[in-house]
Amino acid sequence: VTDAGGEVVVFGVLGAALYANLIGDEFTAMGLEIPSSGSIEEVTTLVVERSASIRLRLLDDREPLRELDVYVSAAKDQRACLLLRSDAEGWAFTRDVSPRSHYLSVVSKRTWPAETTLVASPEGTTAELQVRQLGSLEITVTQAGVPAFGSAVELRSLEFGQSIADWLAAGRITSSHPALQSDASGTLTIARIPRGRYSWSAVASDGSPRSGECEVPAGETGRLRIEL
């Protein structure tokens, strides 16, 4: 706690990088870096601006997303200095930030990662962030009505423009087969993918292509049948 002169003494941090959160009735600064030269005694002056506020609403299309954690940091590559949680209407709110740019990210087991950068102002900054809930997809591949074993299926998110195979390789999703191929029962299951529409393609044994689109619902398992 600062004294009447606005000073505070910190002991036992020789040579260490310091980050401070300064919180007062009207002035707030989160994640301030305190430079250190490694000397035995240092005097540093921090200039704190008037507090600003952010109101961020988390939505999946029009559905408010409640009880999601929002991490706030000064930049994407910096450690989060503040943690917010969305309420029943999807709102995450803080008035304890400095009036500058802030990086906000949503990381949850229920949703696909989402992020945004907002400039907080003393008058208040309000914004919305679309966050996709997760779902699963069960694919059944048949040929002449018989389960097709070892058939590879390619899928691509129409919203994100990214390949399911790339997500799987990066460890962001799970699948019943590492190469996205059907098993002996002709089934391939993919889990923890963002809900929404996907394009798919596969190749029959005679080399003829098959393609189409499918839907992955939120919190449930979508089903896709492919006849080669």
Side-chain angles (χ1 to χ4, degrees):
V1 180
T2 55
D3 61 20
E7 296 184 352
V8 63
V9 179
V10 181
F11 297 96
V13 291
L14 182 63
L18 292 180
Y19 291 88
N21 296 336
L22 307 182
I23 302 175
D25 292 336
E26 296 183 2
F27 299 91
T28 298
M30 309 298 292
L32 285 180
E33 183 177 2
I34 301 177
S36 175
S37 63
S39 62
I40 296 178
E41 183 174 340
E42 295 183 67
V43 177
T44 300
T45 300
L46 298 178
V47 179
V48 183
E49 301 172 290
R50 183 185 171 192
S51 297
S53 65
I54 291 176
R55 295 182 76 237
L56 180 66
R57 196 177 195 197
L58 307 181
L59 299 170
D60 186 348
D61 197 4
R62 297 182 179 180
E63 178 185 351
L65 299 179
R66 60 186 301 173
E67 297 182 352
L68 288 182
D69 290 336
V70 180
Y71 297 86
V72 184
S73 59
K76 184 173 183 177
D77 58 350
Q78 291 190 16
R79 180 181 301 178
C81 58
L82 189 64
L83 175 62
L84 313 177
R85 173 159 288 197
S86 59
D87 62 18
E89 295 300 319
W91 287 105
F93 173 72
T94 179
R95 59 170 56 90
D96 296 329
V97 292
S98 55
R100 56 176 170 80
S101 176
H102 297 271
Y103 170 75
L104 299 91
S105 61
V106 178
V107 180
S108 167
K109 293 181 179 179
R110 296 161 40 205
T111 63
W112 195 246
E115 61 187 24
T116 188
T117 299
L118 298 175
V119 177
S121 69
E123 294 75 25
T125 297
T126 301
E128 292 183 354
L129 178 63
Q130 287 291 326
V131 183
R132 295 292 171 253
Q133 300 174 82
L134 301 182
S136 300
L137 181 64
E138 183 182 279
I139 304 172
T140 302
V141 186
T142 58
Q143 188 162 359
V146 178
F149 171 69
S151 296
V153 181
E154 295 184 7
L155 292 116
R156 190 174 188 85
S157 167
L158 295 181
E159 177 178 2
F160 295 97
Q162 296 175 340
S163 167
I164 287 287
D166 291 341
W167 289 347
L168 183 61
R172 304 182 70 183
I173 64 173
T174 61
S175 171
S176 59
H177 193 283
L180 298 176
Q181 296 180 1
S182 57
D183 60 18
S185 65
T187 302
L188 170 65
T189 302
I190 306 167
R192 298 193 55 76
I193 56 178
R195 71 104 183 141
R197 292 200 65 76
Y198 291 79
S199 63
W200 62 266
S201 62
V203 179
S205 58
D206 62 1
S208 59
R210 302 286 189 274
S211 63
E213 294 183 5
C214 62
E215 185 82 21
V216 174
E220 300 179 9
T221 300
R223 287 174 172 77
L224 169 64
R225 294 186 175 275
I226 300 176
E227 173 67 24
L228 298 179

